[in-house]
Amino acid sequence: MLKGIAASEGIGIGKVVTVSQQQITYEQRPVIGVHKELDRLHDAIDTLKEKTRQLAEEMEASVNPKEAKIIRAHETMLSDPFMISQMDDLVKNDNKCAEAAAETVLDMFASMFSMAEDELTRQRATDVNDIKSRLLKILLGIEETDLRHLPAGTVLVVNDLTPSMTAGLNKENVVAIVTESGGMTSHSAILARALEIPAVLSVQQAVATLKDGSFVIVDGINGQVINDPTMDQQAEYEAKRAAYFEEKERLRAFVGKPTLTADGEKKEVFCNIGNPKDGIQARDRDGEGVGLYRTEFLFMDRSSMPGEDEQYEGYKKVCDTLEGKTVIIRTLDVGGDKEIPYMNLVKEENPFLGYRAIRYCLKNKDSYRLQLRAMIRANADTTGNLWIMLPMITTISEFKEAKAMVAELAEELGMPMPRVGTMIETPAAFIMAPVLAKYCDFFSIGTNDLTQYIMAADRGNSNVAYLYNTYDPAVLHALEAIIKAGKEAGIPVGMCGEAAADPMLIPLLISYGLDEFSVAPTSVLKTRYEISRWSKAEADAIAADVAALETAEEVSAYLAERVKR
Ligand code: PEP
Ligand code: MG
């Protein structure tokens, strides 16, 4: 089995067609007539522009205008006067032929993009290289590889799938794509997802290993390619593929719809994200907001703390992407299992019970102020729907102290005070929830930590994994009490721990009165569907049965039976 990046969901079963991408070579010729050479160059650019325009139009008609923008961007680049004048200069002043002028300038652009800090801009180098090779082919009279007429049931195996190749694919005939390079955010991956063709990218040695005509299974859900599968594997994956389509069809009905229980009670499905660009996923996957933006990722994998402006840009970007929907941003949750080397936190015997999250932030107020100011500014400069969430609150004083800091900074900045709420993820916060609710604008239950603290079982320790169980009646009792406390105080209660996406727990959470379920972007539609299955009366009946059970095993067995479709 070969492994790679699961870049476009689905399962494709078919025969390999490899497309080799030969190196484009040409001889550097001295330019005899400058005008003639410039004409050659401009004619080639015009031809490519026209081809690209047609491709974009085809995509707009057949796929999605949003994704066709990627190809439209190629067209725009080909009209860039700066780029064209650079090429012209090389022909006029350096006596370079059209091919060499185009290659030199486009290589320069590609290397500029590839040095960019953020991954998305780095990926743009692929687009420039795509334009370069297509332009050189036109100049040299080399036929473009036409992928429109591949045989039905093709699994396309290529070294690097360029955006223009992907856009030109006939999705009726191509059942899957396997490449040796590219990642989740590459334009080819985005286009493959838009075309709904399963794709596994960055599979090492794919072209050498997968032979033309051989039979393969491409699992775009788990990032696997099975070469020459056995009969059993084939049957297994055919069943998986059928189940995948069935589920997809079912979930399609929930796209763009409000989240409602079976008896019409309104709920919300939000998304958990880890960095600003995940906001795009949250929006595209139909999230109704962001329920948890874990800001610690902005602080990781670097050598110093991000400044106020950098943080502001990141927070604002998510708010802009979500276009006015609620965005709940959690202040730094450092410590525990989340290490940030430059913060020089000393190793502790018991990191999960130690100096972490709000405890660290309230002792390092200068850097905490930077983060809070960035959030207040991002809230003021967008549609004002950024809510600030505090992690690991244990005492009322911690919450009050942090909220007072927000109020003071908002006043100093002359900007509106964002809503401030708390994660409920410690037993103390759960017990004090009715009091905390007096000061909080909202609650969000962090079941990942709450479970470990209630059960006194480290969430990462496999020896005690049997205790770490959200179905335990002790944890369920806490969830019910927290939601009740929030509801009685009239504040919204959400959940951003993994349990929010667990179909077995959803009827219980409906019965307890949870308002908002924050889940991974890929789980939005599934969660919306699961919520739609239960009326309050049915959910209450399930919760009443569960309340009479005494162990996690009993709860889990009961729910598995009662909740299954
Ligand atoms: C939680 O504890 O449930 C939570 C959402 O936070 P994290 O997983 O980041 O600790
Ligand atoms: Mg937590």
Side-chain angles (χ1 to χ4, degrees):
M1 184 196 294
L2 306 177
K3 288 201 134 283
I5 298 170
S8 177
E9 243 174 40
I11 291 169
I13 305 177
K15 286 206 170 147
V16 169
V17 174
T18 53
V19 174
S20 61
Q21 288 146 299
Q22 83 273 35
Q23 234 10 65
I24 303 173
T25 52
Y26 58 90
E27 292 224 355
Q28 272 267 29
R29 297 169 288 98
V31 174
I32 309 201
V34 168
H35 286 296
K36 223 166 116 206
E37 200 61 15
L38 286 175
D39 285 348
R40 267 189 78 225
L41 176 64
H42 294 170
D43 285 350
I45 293 174
D46 288 344
T47 307
L48 183 54
K49 225 160 60 181
E50 179 52 26
K51 281 180 158 203
T52 309
R53 192 185 59 73
Q54 279 172 14
L55 192 58
E57 267 174 18
E58 279 166 29
M59 271 209 95
E60 276 156 1
S62 66
V63 192
N64 187 334
K66 207 165 77 214
E67 272 75 22
K69 274 194 196 146
I70 293 172
I71 302 300
R72 285 275 179 218
H74 287 205
E75 197 190 332
T76 311
M77 187 167 230
L78 285 162
S79 309
D80 179 7
F82 175 70
M83 185 193 78
I84 297 172
S85 73
Q86 297 259 311
M87 291 180 189
D88 289 355
D89 285 350
L90 290 176
V91 175
K92 285 190 253 178
N93 308 332
D94 291 13
N95 213 27
K96 284 206 190 262
C97 61
E99 290 85 348
E103 183 163 36
T104 310
V105 172
L106 290 165
D107 278 349
M108 186 183 80
F109 275 86
S111 81
M112 240 156 56
F113 281 127
S114 59
M115 282 181 313
E117 282 253 327
D118 83 297
E119 170 68 13
L120 269 183
T121 314
R122 273 203 304 278
Q123 295 278 359
R124 300 299 77 93
T126 318
D127 293 85
V128 180
N129 284 328
D130 188 11
I131 293 173
K132 180 181 83 175
S133 84
R134 296 181 78 205
L135 191 56
L136 287 179
K137 279 181 185 164
I138 292 173
L139 283 164
L140 296 164
I142 302 172
E143 277 285 307
E144 269 206 275
T145 325
D146 186 0
L147 299 179
R148 257 166 256 249
H149 306 296
L150 293 167
T154 291
V155 171
L156 181 66
V157 179
V158 280
N159 182 288
D160 185 15
L161 193 66
T162 63
S164 61
M165 278 163 88
T166 322
L169 287 179
N170 176 349
K171 76 173 190 174
E172 304 308 319
N173 293 350
V174 179
V175 294
I177 297 167
V178 179
T179 70
E180 289 188 355
S181 57
M184 270 313 269
T185 52
S186 64
H187 274 163
S188 303
I190 296 169
L191 290 168
R193 287 196 286 273
L195 289 162
E196 299 186 347
I197 302 176
V200 180
L201 307 188
S202 283
V203 177
Q204 281 179 16
Q205 301 289 324
V207 179
T209 319
L210 303 170
K211 297 279 177 257
D212 262 306
S214 61
F215 196 63
V216 293
I217 295 171
V218 180
D219 176 350
I221 303 165
N222 299 303
Q224 294 170 347
V225 182
I226 303 170
N227 196 6
D228 229 347
T230 61
M231 294 291 269
D232 283 351
Q233 280 175 321
Q234 207 175 312
E236 181 196 340
Y237 276 87
E238 263 158 19
K240 276 191 186 170
R241 185 175 56 177
Y244 173 78
F245 278 129
E246 200 185 299
E247 164 113 338
K248 205 165 160 172
E249 250 341 282
R250 189 170 41 238
L251 298 187
R252 212 185 279 279
F254 291 85
V255 176
K257 296 280 162 30
T259 303
L260 299 172
T261 60
D263 53 343
E265 192 184 338
K266 176 90 183 77
K267 302 286 177 192
E268 282 175 314
V269 182
F270 282 12
C271 290
N272 292 347
I273 63 168
N275 61 53
K277 71 172 187 293
D278 292 347
I280 299 170
Q281 269 230 52
R283 182 197 62 200
D284 292 353
R285 294 275 186 167
D286 218 22
E288 291 160 84
V290 165
L292 166 64
Y293 169 8
R294 292 181 163 97
T295 57
E296 41 283 359
F297 291 102
L298 203 63
F299 291 69
M300 288 174 174
D301 294 329
R302 52 191 296 151
S303 51
S304 63
M305 192 166 303
E308 182 181 319
D309 286 346
E310 186 180 343
Q311 292 191 50
Y312 161 82
E313 292 298 339
Y315 306 151
K316 182 171 178 303
K317 185 168 178 175
V318 179
C319 295
D320 286 339
T321 307
L322 270 288
E323 296 164 345
K325 292 175 176 159
T326 305
V327 174
I328 303 180
I329 308 193
R330 182 172 75 183
T331 65
L332 185 63
D333 186 6
V334 64
D337 56 346
K338 296 156 186 144
E339 258 189 71
I340 300 181
Y342 59 83
M343 286 190 178
N344 299 321
L345 290 169
V346 284
K347 278 247 170 289
E348 297 178 322
E349 290 276 324
N350 242 323
F352 276 118
L353 300 183
Y355 187 46
R356 60 173 291 202
I358 195 75
R359 305 168 183 189
Y360 172 90
C361 290
L362 290 175
K363 286 271 173 338
N364 291 273
K365 288 214 171 88
D366 286 344
S367 48
Y368 199 34
R369 277 197 193 94
L370 286 192
Q371 182 169 43
L372 296 175
R373 282 170 62 95
M375 290 182 184
I376 296 166
R377 285 173 52 203
N379 178 54
D381 291 352
T382 55
T383 44
N385 234 347
L386 184 160
W387 300 7
I388 298 179
M389 178 154 76
L390 310 178
M392 273 295 287
I393 289 289
T394 316
T395 68
I396 307 292
S397 319
E398 280 170 341
F399 184 82
K400 282 181 160 178
E401 188 177 350
K403 189 171 181 180
M405 283 176 74
V406 179
E408 206 176 290
L409 291 168
E411 176 149 359
E412 234 172 74
L413 288 162
M415 290 176 177
M417 164 95 178
R419 294 198 201 195
V420 184
T422 183
M423 303 266 311
I424 303 278
E425 54 183 345
T426 67
F430 136 53
I431 293 163
M432 294 302 283
V435 186
L436 266 174
K438 291 199 287 185
Y439 304 101
C440 291
D441 294 321
F442 63 93
F443 281 168
S444 184
I445 309 174
T447 47
N448 307 344
D449 275 320
L450 187 64
T451 303
Q452 80 165 340
Y453 293 127
I454 287 187
M455 301 307 294
D458 184 334
R459 70 196 246 191
N461 183 340
S462 56
N463 288 329
V464 292
Y466 71 98
L467 285 170
Y468 181 93
N469 193 333
T470 309
Y471 301 135
D472 197 284
V475 180
L476 297 180
H477 173 74
L479 302 185
E480 186 174 9
I482 295 163
I483 297 169
K484 184 164 166 253
K487 303 308 307 168
E488 278 180 5
I491 59 170
V493 183
M495 177 178 287
C496 56
E498 295 301 309
D502 182 345
M504 300 229 284
L505 287 174
I506 283 175
L508 292 183
L509 299 174
I510 291 174
S511 170
Y512 300 161
L514 192 75
D515 300 301
E516 169 250 296
F517 299 67
S518 193
V519 304
T522 46
S523 301
V524 169
L525 292 180
K526 172 107 171 86
T527 306
R528 185 170 296 148
Y529 159 71
E530 293 292 343
I531 292 171
S532 78
R533 292 178 58 200
W534 308 103
S535 68
K536 180 75 166 59
E538 283 168 312
D540 283 346
I542 294 176
D545 286 348
V546 167
L549 303 175
E550 295 177 353
T551 65
E553 292 69 30
E554 284 169 18
V555 172
S556 147
Y558 169 84
L559 289 176
E561 186 50 37
R562 184 75 175 73
V563 171
K564 80 171 178 235
R565 224 174 354 249

